[in-house]
Structure formats: C-alpha cells, structure tokens
Amino acid sequence: MRPTWDEIFMEQAHLMARRSTCLRRHVGAVLVRDQRAIASGYNGPPSGLPHCDERGGCLREQLGVPSGHRQEICRALHAEQNVILQLAITGLSGKDTTLYVTHFPCFTCAKLLVQLGVRRIVFARGYPDHFSADLLDEAGIEIVEATS
C-alpha cells in the first residue's frame, strides 16, 4: 500500500534520529513545505565539538537532572534547533511549513517554531513538557500525533 506524505516524512524524521549522539534520547526532525523536505536535523553537540560519550558521559545524567529539565546545561542542540539553523545557513524561510519530529517539542523549541512560522507539527512520541502544548495551541499550530 502506498504510504501517505505524513508517513514518508515521519520515516525520514526517524532516520535522522539515528544520527543522534545523545545518550538520553535520539530525536530527528524534518521540515517540509509543499511535500518537499527543506531542512532536517537531529540532536547533538555543535558541529566539530566532541559528543558527550567522548567527554565521559552526559552532564545532566551525572547531576541526576530529570528529563525535560535544565536543558541549558546540555551540550546538544535539539533537532528542531538544528533544523532552524540549517534554514539560516541556506537562507530558506520556515513560514507555512510542517515539522515532522520524533518527539514532541520542548517549550524552548515550541517558542522558536512559533516564531519561525511553522503551521503544523506531526510527532511520534510525547515529551515531559506540558507548557509547549499550550503555547503551540495558543499560536494556532495544528498538532498531529503520528500513527504507528
């Protein structure tokens, strides 16, 4: 049976997540306009910097920080942040796009996605940050949970 566009781009997000070097969670994202991927990303440290496993482990894990908290001390950029930075590098706009992401965006990423002009988010798994859903709803962004 022929896959839907949502299924195709969700698979691409899962494929991007396989590039992640995060020791806690592998996240991938693909930004799409008019059924064409325009940017993609995964969570990991800034380009050229060592990964957490090369630095002796995850600092948040070592400090016992629960998932979804103290993101400012994480070395990794989120997949959504890498998508946005890829747009900046290539000079493309994120206005009126759909983001396919393996995990629901955190509050910080939700704010960035609203500002970027994303109109729809398709996600596969939840994330322990209830503020982001409220913000995305307030911004009128359509949220779709992907079917397995």
Side-chain angles (χ1 to χ4, degrees):
M1 197 156 144
R2 188 174 185 206
T4 66
W5 285 114
D6 280 356
E7 291 168 337
I8 290 291
F9 293 120
M10 207 61 229
E11 282 186 38
Q12 288 182 9
H14 283 289
L15 185 60
M16 288 305 300
R18 291 177 48 196
R19 291 281 306 154
S20 172
T21 58
C22 181
L23 300 173
R24 282 189 158 193
R25 174 178 286 127
H26 292 196
V27 181
V30 177
L31 192 67
V32 173
R33 183 185 299 110
D34 300 325
Q35 270 58 28
R36 287 176 177 74
I38 61 170
S40 59
Y42 56 89
N43 57 330
S47 297
L49 294 183
H51 302 283
C52 292
D53 63 347
E54 298 169 323
R55 294 181 48 87
C58 172
L59 177 60
R60 291 172 63 225
E61 194 72 34
Q62 292 165 0
L63 296 174
V65 176
S67 182
H69 294 83
R70 299 289 320 269
Q71 296 169 5
E72 73 278 4
I73 63 172
C74 178
R75 290 182 57 81
L77 293 160
H78 287 190
E80 301 93 328
Q81 293 167 337
N82 272 319
V83 162
I84 293 166
L85 291 169
Q86 193 175 94
L87 290 178
I89 291 166
T90 60
L92 296 174
S93 168
K95 187 170 171 46
D96 298 326
T97 54
T98 296
L99 179 74
Y100 294 86
V101 62
T102 58
H103 294 73
F104 197 84
C106 72
F107 189 59
T108 299
C109 289
K111 291 185 286 186
L112 294 171
L113 295 169
V114 168
Q115 193 69 8
L116 186 65
V118 171
R119 293 292 165 237
R120 184 169 179 259
I121 297 172
V122 181
F123 73 99
R125 291 183 204 91
Y127 186 76
D129 188 339
H130 63 278
F131 296 112
S132 58
D134 293 340
L135 182 80
L136 294 168
D137 181 58
E138 183 180 350
I141 295 176
E142 179 185 0
I143 304 297
V144 178
E145 186 168 3
T147 56
S148 305

